[in-house]
Each structure stands twice: as C-alpha cells, then as structure tokens.
Amino acid sequence: FQSRYEDKAKVNLINETPKTVEEKLAGKIKDIKLKSDTFYHGTSSENAESILESGFKTGKSLPKDTFRGGGYGQIQNSISFAESPKEAAIFSTLTKDGKIVESKLKTGSKVVTIEGIQDAMDLEEYIPYLKKQKIDAVYIGGGEKELVVLNKNSVIPIESKYTNEYDLTK
C-alpha cells in the first residue's frame, strides 16, 4: 500500500549531512591580544569567598541551588568575566550581598574571538572542541565586552575592593 503523499515526502527529504563543530567554526576563530589581563566577575558574597579560597568553577560544576548571574541563571560550562567592575556589578547586584572578584588571566593563555558568537551560551556546543584546541578563553565584544573562560586554571582570582555598592554611574 502506497500513500499518495509518499512521493511528496521523498521530494522534501534533506540530503545534506549535518555540519561538524569543526566545519561550523571553520574560518571563524581568530586569535586576539587583549588590552588588559585584568577582568572582573560579579557574584554572590558566598561564591566570592569560595572562589578566593579554592578558585573558579564552571557553572555546570556548581551545586544546583548556587547563585548564577552569568547566562542570566542558565547553567554554563564556562565562567564569564567583564572588562570593568561596572559591568561585573550588573551581575553582583542580582544578589543582595554581591561581590566582585578581580581576576588575572595567566600569561600565555590562548584567547580567541569567534565570528557570530554574541553570548556565552552560544559557545556551549563548541566548548569540548575549543578545549581540544587548547583555547583558554573566548572574548565576546559587543554589549558586555565579556571574556568567557573555558579553562578555569587560566584565571587567578584576586580579592577585590569592589562590592555590590560599586557606583554604576561611573
């Protein structure tokens, strides 16, 4: 028994093989030299203490009920940083006792930009591939001027003088 729609269905089949991550990123990854190796991470006071004590962790490796400002609450396999304390304060003010952790990117860290990437969450499907390429961080220009760190060992937390009360008008 052959349906009269069967021939029409065959015409609409897609014969294109899905692109691999490598194919999707081909020609889009560019090395970048950052203006500064200092970045800022806005978080809760509790998270800031943990970061200063034992280093950064990716969003996916934190307990489910942990405060997450990066990705606006979405769980990332990376760590987001801002270029300025003012930008980081946007995330620290999402919690009543927010803090800003100043951080240094280690010398020799491999940082790239990726054409078409607008947000840290856009990187999720590419992270395993980028890590295999020994990429430590991806710089995303645009609105937030965000540094998305993939290798938590490439960034060193430093106690910061900035807190939730950082003057957002500066």
Side-chain angles (χ1 to χ4, degrees):
F1 172 77
Q2 196 174 16
S3 157
R4 62 182 149 151
Y5 299 107
E6 199 171 317
D7 288 336
K8 287 187 182 201
K10 285 180 184 172
V11 171
N12 292 324
L13 287 176
I14 299 171
N15 292 327
E16 195 175 302
T17 313
K19 287 185 176 182
T20 64
V21 168
E22 189 174 3
E23 289 169 335
K24 287 179 185 178
L25 294 177
K28 294 183 177 183
I29 300 174
K30 307 266 187 275
D31 288 343
I32 185 172
K33 177 93 173 99
L34 298 170
K35 288 181 253 175
S36 170
D37 63 354
T38 302
F39 288 87
Y40 304 88
H41 183 75
T43 189
S44 69
S45 180
E46 183 183 338
N47 286 359
E49 286 173 32
S50 173
I51 290 166
L52 291 168
E53 199 174 284
S54 56
F56 285 98
K57 294 180 177 94
T58 64
K60 281 217 163 111
S61 66
L62 296 170
K64 274 191 175 179
D65 60 346
T66 302
F67 165 78
R68 289 175 175 82
Y72 299 95
Q74 293 178 334
I75 301 175
Q76 300 172 215
N77 231 338
S78 57
I79 309 150
S80 292
F81 294 85
E83 279 188 319
S84 73
K86 180 179 178 178
E87 291 291 331
I90 292 167
F91 298 95
S92 69
T93 56
L94 295 173
T95 174
K96 68 178 176 12
D97 63 343
K99 288 253 180 353
I100 297 170
V101 179
E102 191 170 325
S103 308
K104 291 274 186 205
L105 192 62
K106 288 182 179 175
T107 304
S109 293
K110 183 171 172 93
V111 182
V112 300
T113 60
I114 303 176
E115 180 187 318
I117 297 294
Q118 303 288 319
D119 183 85
M121 290 308 293
D122 295 343
L123 287 171
E124 284 300 302
E125 73 174 293
Y126 306 128
I127 289 176
Y129 173 79
L130 296 170
K131 284 183 171 182
K132 281 182 189 160
Q133 302 304 309
K134 304 226 182 299
I135 293 171
D136 296 302
V138 176
Y139 179 77
I140 301 172
E144 293 174 13
K145 293 187 169 68
E146 182 177 9
L147 181 72
V148 181
V149 173
L150 312 177
N151 174 6
K152 66 184 177 113
N153 298 320
S154 67
V155 68
I156 303 162
I158 301 165
E159 184 113 30
S160 179
K161 60 185 176 279
Y162 303 110
T163 65
N164 214 6
E165 289 79 41
Y166 184 80
D167 184 358
L168 290 172
T169 61
K170 288 184 183 175

